[in-house]
């Protein structure tokens, strides 16, 4: 499960860094590395990025004010995949199966 999460986080990092979202890319890159050190804490930190104003959910990739359709679709797919992976991992942690 950790490896799936890490692959998704790396893909998110790549799309963010390729589309001028360096600060968000740095956050995901840091949490990707931390998955190997403290997996549970990193999973919870990643899940926490989804809530509130200015959250990961609010990112819209654009160039010169024009939304990037393909890139936003890809980011949205990755965002949903990661959320589902994190939810499953947290459920497993809570049930002692991780």
């Amino acid at each position: 499960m950790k490896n799936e999460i890490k692959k998704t986080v790396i893909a998110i990092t790549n799309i963010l860094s390729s589309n001028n979202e360096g600060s968000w890319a740095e956050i995901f890159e840091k949490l990707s590395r931390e998955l190997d050190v403290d997996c549970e804490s990193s999973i919870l930190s990643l899940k926490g990025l989804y809530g509130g104003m200015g959250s990961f959910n609010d990112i819209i990739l654009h160039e010169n004010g024009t939304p990037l359709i393909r890139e936003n679709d890809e980011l949205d797919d990755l965002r949903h995949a990661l959320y589902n992976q994190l939810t499953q991992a947290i459920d497993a942690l809570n049930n002692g199966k991780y």
Side-chain angles (χ1 to χ4, degrees):
M1 194 173 301
K2 178 179 86 169
N3 290 335
E4 290 177 30
I5 291 170
K6 193 164 187 168
K7 285 180 189 176
T8 305
V9 169
I10 290 169
I12 289 169
T13 301
N14 291 338
I15 194 167
L16 292 172
S17 64
S18 297
N19 290 283
N20 299 317
E21 288 292 344
S23 59
W24 276 105
E26 288 176 19
I27 292 167
F28 278 92
E29 186 176 351
K30 178 180 178 260
L31 288 170
S32 173
R33 288 189 309 268
E34 289 179 7
L35 278 167
D36 293 325
V37 177
D38 186 349
C39 188
E40 183 175 345
S41 176
S42 298
I43 286 170
L44 295 174
S45 294
L46 284 163
K47 185 85 179 275
L49 296 176
Y50 283 84
M53 287 178 45
S55 70
F56 178 47
N57 285 328
D58 296 337
I59 296 173
I60 297 176
L61 304 173
H62 57 86
E63 186 174 340
N64 299 322
T66 303
L68 301 170
I69 304 296
R70 182 182 54 79
E71 291 85 348
N72 281 304
D73 287 347
E74 182 180 350
L75 180 60
D76 199 44
D77 289 345
L78 290 167
R79 189 176 3 235
H80 289 294
L82 181 61
Y83 187 86
N84 290 334
Q85 291 167 348
L86 295 170
T87 299
Q88 290 174 3
I90 290 169
D91 287 346
L93 285 167
N94 290 335
N95 294 320
K97 295 180 181 178
Y98 193 84

